[in-house]
Every structure is written in C-alpha cells, then in structure tokens.
C-alpha cells in the first residue's frame, strides 16, 4: 500500500489508492468483457462447444491477475516512460523493448502458474485438467492482445501523468512569477519611499534656511508667515505620505504652497504663472515630483534677480501622454552655480521617474532662445505595476 501511494505521488495523479484500484478494475473489465464476448461467438459458431466451469474459473483468474498487475504497469510507466523525441528514433525503441520483455514475462508467469498450480488443483477438484498444448495455444493467441492492453495502459499513464505534471509546473510557475512580481513591487515601493524620505528633509532644510535668513534680517512678520505656510505644506505632504502617486492637481497644490513660501521671501520680485490643461489634472504623478525642479529654478535661476523674476508651470495632454514644463527666466543653466542641493534634488527626481515609469517617462533640460531655463517632464504612459500606480489619493 505504501509502495502504491509513493508511485501515485511520483506520477502526480490526483487519485487515492482506492480510486486507483477501482479505475484499474474498470479498465481490465472492459477487455475481459470483450474477450468473453469473442469466446461466446466462437462457441456459438462451434456447435457443442461450451465453456466448462473450470475453464471459466481459469478465465476469471486471468482477469484478476492482470488487474493485480496495475501497480506494476504504473511503476514501469514511471521508470521507463514511452516518449517519442523528434530526430531520436532510439528514444522510443529502447522503452518499447523493455516493456515487451515485461509483458512477455507476465504472460509466461501466468501460464506457468496455471500449469503447475491451478491445473493440479483443478484436477483434484473436478478430475479434469487442461493439456499443455492448450496453454501454449492460449499463450500465443492471447499474447498480442495482452501486449496491446499493457502498452495502452502504459502510454495512458504517461500521458495523463505528463498532463498533471505540466499543469502543476504551470501553476508553480505562475505562483513563482506572481511572488516575484509582488517582491518587485515591494522593492519598487521601498525604493520610492527611500527616495521620498531623502527628498522631504532636503526640501525642509532649505525652507528652514529661508526662515532663518528672514529672522537674521529681523523680519519676524515674514518669518512667522513663512513658518505658517510651511506648516500647511508639511501637513498636506503628511496627509499623502502613504501614497506614492497623487493626481497632478494635488501635486500642483503642494507646488503652489511651496511657491507661496518663496513669494513671501521674494515679495514682488517673483511672479508665478500656471497654464494647466484640465485633462491633465487627474493624471497620477509621484508626490513632490515638481518641487525639486521649482526649487532648482529659484535657487539657481532667479535668486539673484532683483525684479521681474518669472516661473511658469504648464501642463498639456496629447495622444503620446502628458507633459509638464517648468520654465524660469533666470540666468540659464550654463551659468548656474554648482551645488550639492542641485545634484540631490534633480538626481532624485530622475531616479523617481525611472523607478515609477521605466522608459515611459523622462526629464529634459532646454535653454530657450530668449533666455532662461526650461525643464520638461514627459510621461508617455501610466505608472508601472511595480510602482504602485494604483495608490492615488485625492486628499489635499
């Protein structure tokens, strides 16, 4: 019983031991009924020839014997599978020869058992026996049928076993891919969170530096107003801290709050313009993706301007995707002073775009002929699954 359970586990067949014996009984019974029908037709054609009780007993023993060999057939089909491989004719000849040896030995065994054990017992019981010639005749006549039945069962076991093994491997592959995809998503989220955690302190420190500058100048009113505005901005950022992506309209609110802080500092020197396509407002973007670009425009573009400083934010939507452009009329990228903050903020932005969108988003610098600097974010598609694009919040 343990042997049969082990064989069933190796074959991947979803059968219990009881089910295996039942299906085997049905399989061999089909051929037994066919054989009995053939014998009946033979007896009807030969007048006066009928099956005697002891012959029916032998026929019944034959059926039980082949039924009992089902575990052997299962074992043989696992150990020596019949599988034809293209351009390898020998791949099927060797297994066939091995199975022919097995079925031949089984036929020799059953006939030898009948002749040396069943026959003497039957002679003692009814005084009649079957001559050796009849066993030899039965061996050669039944051999072809037994070979066909045996090979059909072996091939059937192989095919059904392969189907279940393939389905199991396919399911395992699917589960593995799903698990790997989940791990990739978790890794992407962790990387996005790490980038965001780098960005928030960077932005906060720069804002606090502006507050300190105002306090040094003894401009308490502006410093107080800036701290209040900064508090509102941080509250909005924290409200969305669990979301990697927010609608563009919410991102623009954060950007406006940041620029409000800067306008307190620059007063009438800074003008901010917005040209936002309504179709772009619900487009999901990484949180605080615009802030480092705007900060870069202020810190390295217009900070030294004494009047008419301009920052313009424009968004457009087309069949190719969405574009967000941040333009400033400052001194231009070629003349900007190098800064660690510049490297951190914009490198962080580029990394976040790559992490969230892959090749479907990019950041581009331009210097318009009239001067200033233009930074454009191109979004060719929605965020990738690994970037958790579905987690979008509309809370302000």
């Amino acid at each position: 019983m343990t042997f049969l359970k082990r064989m069933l586990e190796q074959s991947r067949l979803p059968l219990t031991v009881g089910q295996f014996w039942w299906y085997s009984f049905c399989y061999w019974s089909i051929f037994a009924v066919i054989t009995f029908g053939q014998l009946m037709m033979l007896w009807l054609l030969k007048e006066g020839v009928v099956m005697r009780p002891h012959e029916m007993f032998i026929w019944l023993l034959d059926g039980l014997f082949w039924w009992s060999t089902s575990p052997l057939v299962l074992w043989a089909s696992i150990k020596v599978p019949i599988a034809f491989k293209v351009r390898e004719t020998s791949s099927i000849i060797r297994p066939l020869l091995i199975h022919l040896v097995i079925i031949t030995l089984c036929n020799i065994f059953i006939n030898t058992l009948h002749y040396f054990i069943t026959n003497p017992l039957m002679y003692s019981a009814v005084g009649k026996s079957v001559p050796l010639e009849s066993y030899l005749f039965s061996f050669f006549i039944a051999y072809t049928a037994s070979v066909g039945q045996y090979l059909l069962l072996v091939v059937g076991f192989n095919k059904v076993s392969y189907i279940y093994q393939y389905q199991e491997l396919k399911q395992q592959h699917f589960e593995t891919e799903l698990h790997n995809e989940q791990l990739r998503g978790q890794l992407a989220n962790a990387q996005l969170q790490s980038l965001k955690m780098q960005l928030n302190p960077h932005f906060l420190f720069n804002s606090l530096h502006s507050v300190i500058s105002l306090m040094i100048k003894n401009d308490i009113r502006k410093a107080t107003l800036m701290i209040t505005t900064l508090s509102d901005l941080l509250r909005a950022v924290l409200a969305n801290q669990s979301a990697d992506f927010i609608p563009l309209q919410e991102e623009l609110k954060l950007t406006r709050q940041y620029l409000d802080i800067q306008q307190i500092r620059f007063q009438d020197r800074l003008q901010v313009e917005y040209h936002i396509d309504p179709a772009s407002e619900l487009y999901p973007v990484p949180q605080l993706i615009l802030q480092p670009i705007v900060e870069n425009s202020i810190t390295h573009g217009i900070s030294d301007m004494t009047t008419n400083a301009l920052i313009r934010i424009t968004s457009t939507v087309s069949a190719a995707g969405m574009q967000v452009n941040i333009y400033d009329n400052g001194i231009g990228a070629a003349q900007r002073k190098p800064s660690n903050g510049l490297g951190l903020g914009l490198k962080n932005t580029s990394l976040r775009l790559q992490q969230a969108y892959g090749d479907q988003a990019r950041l581009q610098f331009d210097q318009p002929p009239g001067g200033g600097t233009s930074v454009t974010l191109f979004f060719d598609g929605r965020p990738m699954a690994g970037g958790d694009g579905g987690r979008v919040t509309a809370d302000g």
Side-chain angles (χ1 to χ4, degrees):
M1 194 67 68
T2 303
F3 168 79
L4 183 54
K5 285 183 179 179
R6 188 165 60 251
M7 290 297 102
L8 289 173
E9 290 174 357
Q10 293 181 10
S11 68
R12 300 295 193 275
L13 295 177
L15 298 176
T16 64
V17 174
Q19 289 174 330
F20 171 81
W21 283 116
W22 169 248
Y23 288 131
S24 300
F25 176 79
C26 293
Y27 176 82
W28 291 110
S29 295
I30 292 173
F31 294 105
V33 171
I34 293 174
T35 303
F36 185 75
Q38 291 174 333
L39 292 176
M40 288 293 295
M41 293 301 298
L42 181 62
W43 296 328
L44 291 175
L45 292 174
K46 289 185 177 183
E47 296 181 1
V49 177
V50 295
M51 177 177 276
R52 291 167 292 184
H54 65 280
E55 291 176 336
M56 186 171 292
F57 176 71
I58 294 176
W59 172 78
L60 179 61
L61 287 179
D62 284 345
L64 293 174
F65 169 77
W66 289 115
W67 176 51
S68 66
T69 61
S70 297
L72 172 65
V73 179
L74 176 60
W75 176 83
S77 66
I78 294 175
K79 298 300 181 182
V80 191
I82 298 178
F84 179 77
K85 298 180 180 179
V86 180
R87 299 180 182 178
E88 293 187 21
T89 307
S90 60
S91 64
I92 196 173
I93 293 179
R94 182 175 176 273
L96 280 177
L97 292 176
I98 294 175
H99 286 292
L100 284 176
V101 171
I102 295 174
I103 190 62
T104 301
L105 292 176
C106 287
N107 275 282
I108 292 174
F109 175 79
I110 186 61
N111 282 278
T112 301
L113 182 68
H114 282 325
Y115 185 75
F116 287 103
I117 297 179
T118 308
N119 215 16
L121 292 175
M122 186 169 53
Y123 182 79
S124 300
V126 299
K128 296 179 180 180
S129 62
V130 179
L132 178 62
E133 293 80 6
S134 297
Y135 285 112
L136 293 175
F137 178 80
S138 175
F139 173 81
F140 290 109
I141 292 297
Y143 182 76
T144 303
S146 61
V147 169
Q149 296 165 15
Y150 173 89
L151 291 179
L152 178 62
L153 191 54
V154 168
V155 173
F157 272 138
N158 283 157
K159 294 302 180 183
V160 174
S161 177
Y162 285 155
I163 290 174
Y164 279 102
Q165 288 181 23
Y166 172 76
Q167 293 294 336
E168 183 176 346
L169 290 174
K170 187 177 180 180
Q171 180 64 26
Q172 291 176 354
H173 176 73
F174 172 77
E175 292 175 355
T176 301
E177 285 297 314
L178 179 61
H179 180 65
N180 290 339
E181 188 65 27
Q182 291 173 343
L183 290 178
R184 284 192 290 268
Q186 292 171 2
L187 176 61
N189 288 335
Q191 291 170 336
L192 283 171
Q193 285 296 112
S194 176
L195 291 172
K196 193 192 300 183
M197 291 301 292
Q198 291 177 20
L199 181 62
N200 291 343
H202 172 70
F203 151 69
L204 180 60
F205 294 153
N206 285 345
S207 299
L208 291 177
H209 178 73
S210 299
V211 173
I212 294 172
S213 297
L214 291 174
M215 295 181 68
I216 292 176
K217 296 176 182 179
N218 203 29
D219 196 339
I220 304 301
R221 184 186 64 82
K222 288 184 181 180
T224 302
L225 181 58
M226 184 175 287
I227 291 175
T228 303
T229 308
L230 176 61
S231 175
D232 294 337
L233 173 58
L234 292 177
R235 185 180 296 107
V237 172
L238 292 174
N240 292 321
Q241 64 178 344
S242 62
D244 293 324
F245 296 86
I246 60 176
L248 179 62
Q249 62 182 359
E250 300 301 322
E251 175 66 13
L252 288 172
K253 288 182 181 179
L254 299 178
T255 305
R256 283 190 179 95
Q257 288 176 312
Y258 172 76
L259 288 173
D260 287 344
I261 294 174
Q262 299 304 323
Q263 284 183 309
I264 295 172
R265 171 186 168 190
F266 286 93
Q267 293 187 352
D268 296 335
R269 287 190 295 154
L270 174 60
Q271 179 182 358
V272 181
E273 296 179 358
Y274 298 91
H275 301 278
I276 307 302
D277 185 345
S280 67
E281 291 184 347
L282 297 181
Y283 197 100
V285 296
Q287 185 185 22
L288 289 178
I289 197 69
L290 301 181
Q291 186 273 334
I293 301 176
V294 173
E295 180 182 0
N296 182 65
S297 296
I298 292 175
T299 306
H300 305 282
I302 65 174
S303 60
D304 295 330
M305 297 180 65
T306 58
T307 184
N308 297 327
L310 172 66
I311 292 179
R312 181 187 302 117
I313 301 176
T314 306
S315 71
T316 57
V317 176
S318 64
M322 183 180 70
Q323 297 180 16
V324 179
N325 176 266
I326 296 92
Y327 165 79
D328 71 78
N329 64 343
I331 60 177
Q335 302 176 8
R336 292 184 176 181
K337 298 175 290 184
S339 167
N340 293 334
L342 174 62
L344 173 63
L346 295 184
K347 181 179 180 181
N348 192 301
T349 301
S350 179
L351 287 174
R352 294 183 71 197
L353 286 175
Q354 182 180 6
Q355 185 67 44
Y357 295 88
D359 296 333
Q360 294 186 319
R362 64 190 186 280
L363 185 149
Q364 178 178 310
F365 285 89
D366 292 301
Q367 286 190 274
T373 301
S374 176
V375 179
T376 305
L377 302 178
F378 294 89
F379 300 89
D380 298 334
R382 297 287 177 175
M384 298 186 303
D388 199 12
R391 290 173 56 194
V392 178
T393 179
D395 295 335

